[in-house]
Amino acid sequence: ETHGISFRIQINVKELLDKDVLLKLLFHLPVSYPSALPDISVNSDQLTRAQCMDVKEKLLEQAKKHLSEPMVHDLILWIQQHLKDVIKQSATVCNEKTTLSKGTEDGIWMLLLHLDHMRAKAKYVKTVEKWASNLRLTGRLMFMGKIILILLQGDRSSIKEYLILQKTSKVDVDSSGKKCKEKMMRVLCETEVQSQHKRFQTFEVKEYSTPEELQKEFETAGLTTLFSEFVPPLLK
C-alpha cells in the first residue's frame, strides 16, 4: 500500500549472435502505477553492464509511451522483438559516450540506510559487497553495537538499482532459519553529493567500538551534518 510491488521476470531472447540471451528484468511498480513509470533493473550474464543499462534506457523510453496504461507485458514483448537492434546500437554509441563529459549525467548521489539486524551476517555482508561492486558504488557498511548503517555513493541510477535489490532479494534468514527479504530497512537520507562531501574511493565493511569512532568516519568524509541529523536518534 505504501511501497508498491516488485517482481522479477526472466525471458530468453534468441537471434543474438546465434545464442540465447537470458534477460533478468526486475520491475518495481510504485503505488501510483501506471500513472507513474516503473523502476526497471536489467541483468544478464550474456551482456555487458553498459548493454544492460542501454536496454533499461530503451525500456523506460517505451514505458513513457504507455504512461497511464498497464505496460509491463508490452515492454516484455517489445524487448523480445528489439533486443538485437538495441545491442547493435549500444556498440555504435559506446565510443561516443566515453567522450561525453560527466556533466551530462545525473550527478553523484548518496544513500544512507539503517538496517535493524542481520541474522546471517557473513552471507548478508558478502551480498552487500557484491551489489556495491557490481553497481560501482563506494561507501561503508558500518557496525557499531546494534546499529547497522549502509552509506553508498554513486550514479543515481545505480543507487536506485541497489535499493530495489535490497528490498526484493532474500538477503537474510528469519528466526526459523528460512531465507527472507529485508523488511526492517529504513532509508534515512537520499541526496546528491555536494562539493563539501568527500568521495569514498572504495566500499569497505567497518566495525566501530564507540559512537565517537563512528562520528569521526562521517566527519572525515565531510558528512558531519548527515551524522548529527540521522545517527544520534539511533543511539538512544
Side-chain angles (χ1 to χ4, degrees):
E1 289 177 5
T2 54
H3 298 299
I5 60 167
S6 299
F7 54 90
R8 283 180 196 279
I9 294 179
Q10 294 200 158
I11 53 167
N12 259 319
V13 186
K14 296 187 185 292
E15 298 180 8
L16 187 70
L17 305 173
D18 302 322
K19 67 176 180 182
D20 286 4
V21 173
L22 180 65
L23 277 184
K24 299 168 193 170
L25 304 170
L26 183 59
F27 288 90
H28 174 248
L29 308 186
V31 180
S32 49
Y33 172 86
S35 302
L37 292 176
D39 266 332
I40 305 172
S41 169
V42 179
N43 280 294
S44 174
D45 293 337
Q46 288 84 28
L47 301 180
T48 65
R49 181 98 198 103
Q51 287 172 325
C52 286
M53 293 298 277
D54 283 335
V55 170
K56 174 183 167 175
E57 278 175 29
K58 293 295 179 189
L59 281 171
L60 285 172
E61 275 175 29
Q62 289 303 309
K64 286 173 188 169
K65 297 176 185 176
H66 294 280
L67 207 53
S68 73
E69 59 187 65
M71 63 184 80
V72 173
H73 185 247
D74 290 320
L75 295 178
I76 299 292
L77 291 177
W78 186 88
I79 199 59
Q80 282 178 311
Q81 292 163 3
H82 296 90
L83 181 66
K84 200 172 181 181
D85 301 327
V86 174
I87 302 306
K88 271 187 187 169
Q89 227 178 336
S90 174
T92 56
V93 298
C94 187
N95 294 333
E96 295 169 29
K97 274 192 178 175
T98 53
T99 59
L100 287 176
S101 71
K102 285 271 181 191
T104 59
E105 294 174 7
D106 266 351
I108 301 301
W109 278 65
M110 181 165 58
L111 179 71
L112 181 62
L113 302 175
H114 173 245
L115 303 182
D116 186 72
H117 61 270
M118 284 183 182
R119 281 199 177 93
K121 184 176 173 181
K123 178 181 172 291
Y124 204 136
V125 168
K126 214 170 182 182
T127 302
V128 171
E129 286 181 310
K130 183 183 164 196
W131 288 342
S133 169
N134 288 348
L135 294 166
R136 293 183 192 152
L137 296 171
T138 60
R140 299 283 184 269
L141 169 51
M142 302 179 271
F143 295 93
M144 206 290 296
K146 288 187 175 178
I147 294 172
I148 307 168
L149 297 170
I150 301 177
L151 180 60
L152 297 168
Q153 292 178 343
D155 291 343
R156 193 176 189 184
S157 58
S158 297
I159 293 274
K160 280 191 169 186
E161 212 163 313
Y162 179 91
L163 265 178
I164 294 173
L165 286 168
Q166 182 80 57
K167 287 175 185 171
T168 58
S169 305
K170 291 186 176 179
V171 285
D172 207 0
V173 295
D174 61 19
S175 52
S176 61
K178 282 186 181 169
K179 288 182 179 179
C180 65
K181 293 177 185 174
E182 177 57 74
K183 294 195 176 83
M184 305 282 282
M185 178 192 81
R186 282 194 302 141
V187 177
L188 299 178
C189 179
E190 187 178 353
T191 182
E192 194 165 3
V193 170
Q194 305 300 318
S195 54
Q196 70 270 26
H197 302 150
K198 292 205 175 77
R199 288 289 311 279
F200 290 108
Q201 298 305 310
T202 57
F203 182 81
E204 292 176 37
V205 181
K206 297 184 92 169
E207 305 225 4
Y208 309 86
S209 42
T210 64
E212 288 73 28
E213 276 184 25
L214 183 61
Q215 186 172 353
K216 197 173 179 188
E217 180 77 77
F218 277 80
E219 286 174 354
T220 306
L223 301 172
T224 308
T225 312
L226 190 73
F227 178 89
S228 55
E229 193 172 340
F230 296 105
V231 182
L234 305 174
L235 298 168
K236 289 172 184 170

Coordinates of all heavy atoms in Angstrom, one line a residue, residues 128-161:
V128 N 25.9 -7.6 0.1 CA 26.0 -6.2 0.0 C 27.3 -5.8 -0.7 O 27.3 -4.9 -1.6 CB 26.0 -5.5 1.4 CG1 26.3 -4.0 1.3 CG2 24.6 -5.7 2.1
E129 N 28.4 -6.4 -0.4 CA 29.7 -6.1 -1.0 C 29.6 -6.4 -2.5 O 30.1 -5.6 -3.4 CB 30.8 -7.0 -0.4 CG 31.3 -6.5 0.9 CD 32.4 -7.4 1.5 OE1 32.3 -8.6 1.5 OE2 33.4 -6.8 1.9
K130 N 29.0 -7.5 -2.9 CA 28.8 -7.9 -4.3 C 28.0 -6.9 -5.1 O 28.3 -6.5 -6.2 CB 28.2 -9.3 -4.4 CG 28.0 -9.8 -5.8 CD 27.3 -11.2 -5.8 CE 26.8 -11.5 -7.2 NZ 25.8 -12.6 -7.2
W131 N 26.8 -6.5 -4.5 CA 26.0 -5.5 -5.1 C 26.7 -4.2 -5.3 O 26.7 -3.6 -6.4 CB 24.7 -5.2 -4.3 CG 23.7 -6.4 -4.3 CD1 23.7 -7.4 -5.2 CD2 22.7 -6.6 -3.3 NE1 22.6 -8.2 -4.9 CE2 22.0 -7.8 -3.7 CE3 22.3 -5.9 -2.2 CZ2 20.9 -8.3 -3.0 CZ3 21.2 -6.4 -1.5 CH2 20.5 -7.6 -1.9
A132 N 27.4 -3.7 -4.3 CA 28.2 -2.5 -4.4 C 29.2 -2.5 -5.5 O 29.4 -1.6 -6.3 CB 28.8 -2.1 -3.0
S133 N 29.9 -3.7 -5.6 CA 30.9 -3.9 -6.6 C 30.3 -3.9 -8.0 O 30.8 -3.2 -8.9 CB 31.7 -5.2 -6.3 OG 32.5 -5.5 -7.4
N134 N 29.2 -4.6 -8.2 CA 28.6 -4.7 -9.5 C 28.0 -3.4 -10.0 O 28.0 -3.1 -11.2 CB 27.4 -5.8 -9.4 CG 27.9 -7.2 -9.3 OD1 29.1 -7.4 -9.5 ND2 27.1 -8.1 -9.0
L135 N 27.5 -2.6 -9.0 CA 26.9 -1.3 -9.4 C 27.9 -0.2 -9.3 O 27.5 1.0 -9.4 CB 25.7 -1.0 -8.5 CG 24.5 -2.0 -8.7 CD1 23.5 -1.9 -7.5 CD2 23.8 -1.8 -10.0
R136 N 29.2 -0.5 -9.0 CA 30.3 0.5 -8.9 C 29.9 1.6 -7.9 O 30.1 2.8 -8.1 CB 30.5 1.2 -10.3 CG 31.1 0.2 -11.3 CD 31.4 0.9 -12.6 NE 31.7 -0.1 -13.6 CZ 31.4 0.2 -14.9 NH1 30.9 1.3 -15.3 NH2 31.7 -0.7 -15.8
L137 N 29.4 1.1 -6.7 CA 29.1 2.0 -5.6 C 30.2 2.0 -4.6 O 30.8 0.9 -4.4 CB 27.8 1.6 -5.0 CG 26.5 1.7 -5.9 CD1 25.3 1.1 -5.2 CD2 26.2 3.2 -6.2
T138 N 30.6 3.1 -4.0 CA 31.6 3.2 -3.0 C 30.9 3.6 -1.7 O 29.7 4.0 -1.7 CB 32.7 4.2 -3.3 OG1 32.1 5.5 -3.4 CG2 33.4 3.8 -4.6
G139 N 31.6 3.4 -0.5 CA 31.0 3.8 0.7 C 31.4 2.9 1.9 O 32.5 2.3 1.9
R140 N 30.5 2.7 2.8 CA 30.8 1.9 4.0 C 29.6 1.1 4.5 O 28.4 1.6 4.4 CB 31.1 2.9 5.2 CG 32.4 3.7 5.0 CD 33.7 2.9 5.1 NE 34.8 3.8 5.0 CZ 35.5 4.0 3.8 NH1 35.0 3.4 2.7 NH2 36.5 4.8 3.8
L141 N 29.8 -0.1 4.9 CA 28.8 -0.9 5.7 C 29.4 -0.8 7.1 O 30.5 -1.3 7.4 CB 28.8 -2.3 5.2 CG 28.0 -3.3 6.1 CD1 26.6 -2.8 6.4 CD2 27.9 -4.7 5.4
M142 N 28.6 -0.1 8.0 CA 29.1 0.2 9.3 C 28.4 -0.5 10.5 O 27.1 -0.5 10.5 CB 29.0 1.8 9.5 CG 29.8 2.5 8.4 SD 29.6 4.3 8.6 CE 28.2 4.7 7.7
F143 N 29.1 -1.1 11.4 CA 28.6 -1.7 12.5 C 29.0 -1.0 13.8 O 30.2 -0.8 13.9 CB 29.0 -3.2 12.6 CG 28.5 -4.1 11.5 CD1 29.2 -4.3 10.3 CD2 27.2 -4.7 11.6 CE1 28.8 -5.1 9.3 CE2 26.8 -5.5 10.5 CZ 27.5 -5.7 9.4
M144 N 28.1 -0.6 14.6 CA 28.5 0.0 15.9 C 27.5 -0.5 17.0 O 26.4 0.0 17.0 CB 28.5 1.5 15.8 CG 29.4 2.2 16.8 SD 28.9 2.1 18.5 CE 27.4 3.0 18.5
G145 N 27.9 -1.4 17.8 CA 27.0 -2.1 18.7 C 25.9 -2.7 17.9 O 26.1 -3.6 17.1
K146 N 24.6 -2.4 18.2 CA 23.5 -3.0 17.5 C 23.1 -2.2 16.2 O 22.2 -2.5 15.5 CB 22.3 -3.1 18.4 CG 22.4 -4.2 19.5 CD 21.2 -4.4 20.2 CE 21.3 -5.5 21.2 NZ 20.1 -5.7 22.0
I147 N 23.8 -1.1 16.0 CA 23.5 -0.2 14.9 C 24.2 -0.7 13.6 O 25.4 -1.0 13.6 CB 23.9 1.3 15.2 CG1 23.0 1.8 16.3 CG2 23.7 2.2 13.9 CD1 23.5 3.2 16.8
I148 N 23.4 -0.8 12.5 CA 23.9 -1.2 11.2 C 23.5 -0.1 10.2 O 22.3 0.1 10.0 CB 23.4 -2.5 10.8 CG1 23.6 -3.6 11.9 CG2 24.0 -3.0 9.5 CD1 22.8 -4.9 11.6
L149 N 24.5 0.5 9.6 CA 24.3 1.5 8.6 C 25.0 1.2 7.3 O 26.1 0.6 7.3 CB 24.8 2.9 9.1 CG 24.2 3.5 10.3 CD1 25.0 4.7 10.8 CD2 22.7 3.9 10.1
I150 N 24.3 1.5 6.2 CA 25.0 1.4 4.9 C 25.0 2.8 4.2 O 23.9 3.4 4.1 CB 24.2 0.4 4.0 CG1 24.1 -1.0 4.6 CG2 24.9 0.3 2.6 CD1 23.3 -2.0 3.8
L151 N 26.2 3.2 3.9 CA 26.4 4.6 3.3 C 26.9 4.3 1.9 O 28.0 3.7 1.7 CB 27.3 5.4 4.1 CG 27.6 6.8 3.6 CD1 26.4 7.7 3.5 CD2 28.6 7.5 4.5
L152 N 26.2 4.8 0.9 CA 26.6 4.5 -0.5 C 26.7 5.8 -1.3 O 26.0 6.7 -1.1 CB 25.6 3.6 -1.2 CG 25.4 2.2 -0.6 CD1 24.2 1.5 -1.2 CD2 26.7 1.3 -0.9
Q153 N 27.7 5.8 -2.3 CA 27.8 6.9 -3.2 C 28.0 6.3 -4.6 O 28.6 5.3 -4.8 CB 29.1 7.7 -2.9 CG 29.0 8.5 -1.6 CD 30.2 9.3 -1.3 OE1 31.3 9.1 -1.9 NE2 30.1 10.3 -0.4
G154 N 27.4 7.0 -5.6 CA 27.5 6.5 -7.0 C 26.5 7.2 -7.9 O 25.7 8.1 -7.5
D155 N 26.4 6.7 -9.1 CA 25.4 7.2 -10.1 C 24.0 7.0 -9.5 O 23.7 6.0 -8.8 CB 25.4 6.4 -11.4 CG 26.7 6.7 -12.1 OD1 27.3 7.7 -11.8 OD2 27.0 5.9 -13.1
R156 N 23.1 8.0 -9.8 CA 21.8 7.9 -9.2 C 21.0 6.6 -9.6 O 20.3 6.0 -8.9 CB 20.9 9.1 -9.7 CG 19.7 9.2 -8.8 CD 18.9 10.5 -9.2 NE 17.8 10.7 -8.2 CZ 16.9 11.6 -8.3 NH1 17.0 12.5 -9.3 NH2 15.9 11.7 -7.5
S157 N 21.2 6.2 -10.9 CA 20.5 5.0 -11.4 C 21.0 3.8 -10.7 O 20.3 2.9 -10.3 CB 20.8 4.8 -12.9 OG 22.2 4.8 -13.2
S158 N 22.3 3.7 -10.3 CA 22.9 2.6 -9.6 C 22.4 2.6 -8.1 O 22.1 1.5 -7.6 CB 24.4 2.7 -9.6 OG 24.9 2.6 -10.9
I159 N 22.2 3.8 -7.6 CA 21.7 3.9 -6.2 C 20.3 3.3 -6.2 O 19.9 2.5 -5.3 CB 21.7 5.3 -5.7 CG1 23.1 5.9 -5.5 CG2 20.9 5.5 -4.4 CD1 23.8 5.6 -4.2
K160 N 19.5 3.7 -7.2 CA 18.1 3.2 -7.3 C 18.0 1.7 -7.4 O 17.2 1.0 -6.8 CB 17.4 3.9 -8.4 CG 16.9 5.3 -8.2 CD 16.0 5.8 -9.2 CE 15.3 7.1 -8.8 NZ 14.3 7.5 -9.8
E161 N 19.0 1.2 -8.3 CA 19.0 -0.2 -8.6 C 19.4 -1.0 -7.3 O 18.8 -2.0 -7.0 CB 20.0 -0.5 -9.7 CG 19.7 -1.7 -10.5 CD 20.4 -1.7 -11.8 OE1 20.5 -0.7 -12.5 OE2 21.0 -2.8 -12.1

